[in-house]
Amino acid sequence: MAQEVRGVIAPGKDEPVRVETIVVPDPGPGEAVVQVQACGVCHTDLHYKQGGINDDFPFLLGHEAAGVVESVGEGVTDVAPGDFVILNWRAVCGNCRACLRGRPWYCFNTHNASQKMTLTDGTELSPALGIGAFAEKTLVAAGQCTKVDASVSAAVAGLLGCGVMAGIGAAINTGNVGRGDTVAVIGCGGVGDAAIAGSNLAGAAKIIAVDIDDRKLEKARTMGATHTVNSKDADPVEAIRELTGGFGADVVIEAVGRPETYRQAFYARDLAGTVVLVGVPTPEMKLELPLLDVFGRGGSLKSSWYGDCLPSRDFPMLIDLHLQGRLDLEAFVTETIQLDEVEKAFERMHHGDVLRSVVVL
Ligand code: APR
Ligand code: ZN
Ligand code: ZN
């Protein structure tokens, strides 16, 4: 039987979000209904509300979530009712060229639940990133659920569903940061701080944090940064070179998504180093570079998509490291809030006051 629960809706472009009653159908074949316990507030939710992603309003927001599987549809074997799970954006097929070549994050046949959640008048909702978890319950494809150790707090677990995974994965998966490496992270919001924590975990010798906000640099130190550079006061490329014996960093992670920081990342790497781009630019942004500089530098230039993560491999591993006290995920949770406080959380995010506000249900 379909159920009525509360969820946070973005009704139209730039309109304030609000809590509404939503209808969650029973899970169909390959689907699961999850009782949401926590869901982080991410920039992407704000972009949905602003109409920056697409115009399929109304959206059911929220996508950094963890909870307990309530029921599963026909044919679901990987998860069962009662499992504590972290949700990911899309189930992958396991069978296409990308999946078979070990890069399922580029899967060509990803899917979400095929049934729709609706408002009580029958209006279909578009769940943010195929999740829609600012809600007491949500309907997803069973392949979007990854079972993890249930002794972790839901607020912490949910963060791995998006921003924190993107940052840690940028360091350990895409950048392949190794013991003794020098790393520079440009932009120390939630994603950059996670890249710092990931680099620390991987055994980097030096981790240079770059930001334009001293508050962010202070926080970055607590995440494992060994050096900080305020790029309002100093040229970050010069500063990174100086701190790395004149060479540049082995791995530079860009976590802002702007032309000037893409440029800094490009020039701040060691000649054989790796640039990892995790900050997402907007369609009109461009960067002009002398081709001789592009040609003259070896190493590699990579973008990181969802931290190039394999949820079934990476989520349980990172939760284990957290439970052992080797990765502090609590540090990313600035505050916990209620469903009806999401609009306020967007404001605080806009002012740079929080790493993550997490809705706890
Ligand atoms: N140079 C250095 N740091 C900058 C600059 C700049 N020119 N401009 C902004 N920043 C800093 C901000 O001060 C802030 O600390 O970048 C950080 C961005 O952090 P958040 O706004 O919290 O964003 P976050 O959630 O970390 O995401 C960063 O990664 O996955 C992408 O879409 C995401 O593009 C976004 C980026
Ligand atoms: Zn596939
Ligand atoms: Zn997100």
Side-chain angles (χ1 to χ4, degrees):
M1 263 238 306
Q3 309 181 63
E4 293 193 352
V5 300
R6 295 185 316 139
V8 177
I9 305 300
K13 195 172 162 60
D14 281 329
E15 288 175 37
V17 303
R18 58 172 186 252
V19 176
E20 293 258 4
T21 301
I22 64 165
V23 181
V24 181
D26 277 349
E31 294 176 344
V33 168
V34 175
Q35 224 169 349
V36 180
Q37 294 185 329
C39 184
V41 183
C42 173
H43 278 85
T44 306
D45 294 305
L46 181 59
H47 292 157
Y48 272 109
K49 166 192 144 149
Q50 294 169 331
I53 297 187
N54 62 54
D55 287 324
D56 297 336
F57 290 99
F59 291 107
L60 174 59
L61 297 181
H63 62 274
E64 281 191 359
V68 172
V69 175
E70 181 185 78
S71 55
V72 298
E74 202 187 306
V76 173
T77 52
D78 286 349
V79 287
D83 283 352
F84 179 66
V85 296
I86 299 177
L87 301 181
N88 70 68
W89 303 345
R90 300 169 310 181
V92 299
C93 78
N95 219 3
C96 68
R97 186 170 189 273
C99 283
L100 292 174
R101 287 168 67 90
R103 293 191 287 261
W105 48 91
Y106 290 131
C107 173
F108 298 105
N109 307 314
T110 56
H111 61 283
N112 301 119
S114 25
Q115 298 185 89
K116 294 282 180 196
M117 292 178 277
T118 63
L119 294 174
T120 47
D121 68 0
T123 307
E124 288 191 354
L125 296 169
S126 309
L129 288 171
I131 294 180
F134 289 147
E136 291 160 325
K137 293 179 187 181
T138 191
L139 173 78
V140 293
Q144 292 178 257
C145 301
T146 305
K147 191 176 171 176
V148 297
D149 193 321
S151 53
V152 68
S153 90
V156 155
L159 297 186
L160 288 182
C162 185
V164 172
M165 185 67 246
I168 295 180
I172 67 175
N173 293 334
T174 320
N176 203 16
V177 171
R179 191 169 35 165
D181 279 350
T182 54
V183 178
V185 175
I186 303 177
C188 302
V191 174
D193 276 350
I196 291 170
S199 303
N200 195 22
L201 197 62
K206 270 186 193 168
I207 303 172
I208 304 161
V210 180
D211 205 291
I212 49 174
D213 182 340
D214 282 327
R215 292 176 303 168
K216 301 290 176 143
L217 292 172
E218 237 169 79
K219 179 80 179 170
R221 279 201 186 263
T222 70
M223 297 286 186
T226 56
H227 300 77
T228 56
V229 176
N230 188 324
S231 50
K232 267 190 177 157
D233 308 334
D235 174 2
V237 175
E238 282 309 311
I240 291 166
R241 287 229 181 93
E242 256 170 50
L243 288 165
T244 53
F247 297 113
D250 294 314
V251 182
V252 183
I253 299 169
E254 198 279 358
V256 183
R258 298 193 47 79
E260 66 272 22
T261 44
Y262 265 52
R263 178 188 298 278
Q264 291 159 6
F266 180 83
Y267 284 107
R269 78 175 189 273
D270 177 271
L271 282 182
T274 302
V275 176
V276 177
L277 305 168
V278 62
V280 183
T282 56
E284 71 285 357
M285 290 178 179
K286 291 198 168 61
L287 177 60
E288 200 176 310
L289 290 168
L291 283 188
L292 202 55
D293 287 356
V294 179
F295 174 76
R297 301 184 152 250
S300 54
L301 188 63
K302 296 165 132 183
S303 59
S304 184
W305 180 243
Y306 203 168
D308 292 344
C309 78
L310 271 174
S312 50
R313 175 194 66 192
D314 295 336
F315 293 173
M317 169 190 72
L318 294 171
I319 292 295
D320 283 347
L321 288 168
H322 170 70
L323 288 172
Q324 295 158 11
R326 296 157 74 191
L327 172 65
D328 180 9
L329 293 173
E330 297 284 356
F332 291 92
V333 181
T334 314
E335 58 174 4
T336 55
I337 60 170
Q338 302 296 306
L339 270 185
D340 58 5
E341 294 174 298
V342 170
E343 185 66 38
K344 269 192 276 171
F346 283 146
E347 301 250 311
R348 281 196 285 268
M349 173 190 279
H350 188 69
H351 292 110
D353 295 342
V354 291
L355 275 187
R356 274 296 184 268
S357 306
V358 180
V359 174
V360 174
L361 292 131

